Structure formats: C-alpha cells, structure tokens
Amino acid sequence: MPNNLVQPRIVRFRDAPRYLGMDRNRFNAEVRPHLIEIPIGKQGIGFDRLDLDAWADDYKRRNGRPGQKGVNSWDASEYPPSSLGPASGISTSTSSGGEFARALERLGSKKQKGISRE
C-alpha cells in the first residue's frame, strides 16, 4: 500500500515548535511574533506551514553556514597556517627531569595530607 501522507497546510500551535525543532518558550520568543496566527475554532491557533518554512529558511540564511563562493566559512581558521611547515612534537623547554620530579613529589604530598589511612 503506498504511503500517501498529506502534510496539513495549517500547523496547530501545539505542533509548530516541534515542527521547527525547538521548545515552546523559544518558539514563543523568537518565531511567533513574526507569524500570522490563524484561528481554528473557538480557541485553537494555527500557523501556515509555508510561513514556518519561510522563517526557517530566513533563520538559516542569517545564522547558518555560508555556502556561497568567496564567502569565508564560519569554521575557517582565523589565522593563516604557518609557513614554517610541520613541527616535530618534541618539547623545546629546557627544564630538567629533576624539576618535574620535585613537582610530582609536592603534588603527591598535598594529596596524602587529606587522605586518612587505616
């Protein structure tokens, strides 16, 4: 049996936030003020699905990742890569092993003070 589901043109208020993938509070604050409310019966409220889609398209255009040529991507590096090439991963610090050992010893003695032994 073919699946011929028809999407309603009018989306009820209770379903509109879920349709856009957000909670009701955010919908009320950010989306609802920009839409025309359509009365349904005595107390029901609905929104045109095409208006919801238009809001989502506009939101994506303003806040989404740019997809046009010549526009820098939001995740592009702020600084250009180094021209020096890849570095070796070896530390260039001149600290000796003795300094590190003393730091570990101090750290261990601080932890032992707070531990009660049986």
Side-chain angles (χ1 to χ4, degrees):
M1 181 186 292
N3 190 3
N4 294 330
L5 294 177
V6 176
Q7 286 189 337
R9 175 73 184 262
I10 305 301
V11 178
R12 289 188 172 269
F13 172 61
R14 69 172 178 255
D15 299 323
R18 189 169 12 112
Y19 179 79
L20 292 174
M22 63 180 62
D23 64 53
R24 191 175 190 160
N25 291 331
R26 182 167 181 200
F27 177 84
N28 283 333
E30 295 183 26
V31 181
R32 191 172 179 180
H34 304 284
L35 301 175
I36 296 171
E37 294 183 1
I38 301 168
I40 301 173
K42 290 182 180 182
Q43 295 180 349
I45 295 174
F47 303 98
D48 188 323
R49 180 176 42 85
L50 299 179
D51 289 346
L52 293 169
D53 291 342
W55 181 90
D57 290 340
D58 183 59
Y59 183 83
K60 184 173 77 171
R61 183 186 54 75
R62 288 181 287 117
N63 300 298
R65 183 177 180 158
Q68 302 153 349
K69 276 189 169 183
V71 176
N72 290 335
S73 175
W74 57 267
D75 61 350
S77 176
E78 186 174 330
Y79 302 101
S82 172
S83 61
L84 300 176
S88 67
I90 298 172
S91 173
T92 57
S93 174
T94 59
S95 65
S96 66
E99 291 175 39
F100 183 69
R102 284 192 299 274
L104 283 177
E105 186 178 316
R106 277 184 269 150
L107 182 63
S109 66
K110 287 180 183 178
K111 286 185 177 179
Q112 290 177 358
K113 288 180 182 178
I115 300 174
S116 62
R117 298 186 182 214
E118 294 179 28

